[in-house]
Structure formats: C-alpha cells, structure tokens
Amino acid sequence: MAITGGSRFPAGHDFVFPRGALVMGVEPVLKFQSAEERAKGLPVEQEKDKETGQLVWSVLVIDQAAERKADAAVTVKISAPHQPVPPEAIPGTDIRPAMFEGLTVTPWIDDKGCRGGHVGERHRCRAKLGYSLRATGMKAIVAAKPAPKAA
C-alpha cells in the first residue's frame, strides 16, 4: 500500500470547518528539549517541517461546528518562513474568522486512554482516533456582497 503512517491527506477548509474557524492566536512550535539539554543551557530551537524544511507555527482555532465544547479548540500547524499573521478582527470584537489554505489532515491513534490489565484482568481500551491539521497559510474570509435589489 502506498499510504504510510504520517501521510497528509488533502482536505478542503469547508470540509474540516463547515461552520467556520476563528483564530485565537499564533505561536512558534518549539522542539522538545531534554533535561540534559536544558541543563547545558542549549537554546530552544523552533521545529521545522519534515517535508518543506520551513518553520512550524501553531495556530489556535475555535471550530464553530464542534459538537462538544471540549472539542472546539483545535490547533492548525502552518509551515512558513515567517510567523503567519491572523486576519483583522471584526470591528468591536476579538473574533478573527479565517480560511485555511492547503489544509491537510493526518489521522493518528490517541492511546492514552488504553490501559493494559494486570494478569487475569481484562484489557480496557479507550483509544480514539485523533487528527493533526496542517495548512500552507491562512487568509481573511471575504464577505459576500449582497445582491443588488431589483427595481
């Protein structure tokens, strides 16, 4: 099979965020640093995308179509040479609607809820499917102009 673990599947913005996405902030994704590296005083480096070599940025997003409040906050990672700038907020609010370009989805298994039983105990697995979202960029949503009134 040509599909390998970590494959990024193209997905349209409207498929992933059917009711829209609100950007809450953007920050760099930092590489993991071991205790030994921290003790040596080594500087923390920003993560680079394995496919493009560009810097990786984490965009905190509110998914307006989330069924549960706990699922509303998601992260979209953007690979870019410079920090992406969120769209302007709607005047008088902190709401920043955005559309993601080049959006991809990578499925993964979240097995933190999976517990191996002791000898003689039944295995209880509450693993679930998770998704990692990546994009090539984000832009402001352009409001559709109202149709002219018929005379």
Side-chain angles (χ1 to χ4, degrees), residues 110-130:
D110 180 359
D111 60 358
K112 287 180 259 173
C114 196
R115 306 269 189 264
H118 298 292
V119 176
E121 188 178 322
R122 200 176 106 201
H123 176 82
R124 287 181 275 162
C125 188
R126 291 186 176 86
K128 62 182 181 178
L129 187 59

Side-chain angles (χ1 to χ4, degrees), residues 37-138:
E37 293 169 328
R38 284 193 302 272
K40 291 178 184 176
L42 296 175
V44 179
E45 294 180 21
Q46 187 170 352
E47 190 174 299
K48 291 189 178 179
D49 187 290
K50 293 174 186 173
E51 290 184 10
T52 67
Q54 294 183 330
L55 298 173
V56 179
W57 307 89
S58 176
V59 182
L60 180 59
V61 176
I62 301 298
D63 178 3
Q64 297 189 100
E67 293 178 10
R68 298 180 330 144
K69 189 186 281 188
D71 297 333
V74 297
T75 299
V76 177
K77 291 182 180 177
I78 295 180
S79 300
H82 304 287
Q83 183 169 346
V85 178
E88 290 293 320
I90 295 173
T93 71
D94 290 335
I95 299 172
R96 298 173 183 270
M99 178 171 273
F100 290 95
E101 301 172 303
L103 195 60
T104 62
V105 175
T106 303
W108 59 281
I109 297 175
D110 180 359
D111 60 358
K112 287 180 259 173
C114 196
R115 306 269 189 264
H118 298 292
V119 176
E121 188 178 322
R122 200 176 106 201
H123 176 82
R124 287 181 275 162
C125 188
R126 291 186 176 86
K128 62 182 181 178
L129 187 59
Y131 300 95
S132 177
L133 302 173
R134 287 189 172 265
T136 57
M138 68 177 152

Side-chain angles (χ1 to χ4, degrees), residues 2-57:
I3 298 173
T4 60
S7 293
R8 298 176 185 177
F9 299 102
H13 173 87
D14 292 335
F15 177 77
V16 177
F17 300 108
R19 294 184 57 204
L22 306 175
V23 173
M24 303 307 291
V26 179
E27 59 186 37
V29 175
L30 303 177
K31 284 184 179 179
F32 172 78
Q33 194 175 44
S34 70
E36 292 172 4
E37 293 169 328
R38 284 193 302 272
K40 291 178 184 176
L42 296 175
V44 179
E45 294 180 21
Q46 187 170 352
E47 190 174 299
K48 291 189 178 179
D49 187 290
K50 293 174 186 173
E51 290 184 10
T52 67
Q54 294 183 330
L55 298 173
V56 179
W57 307 89

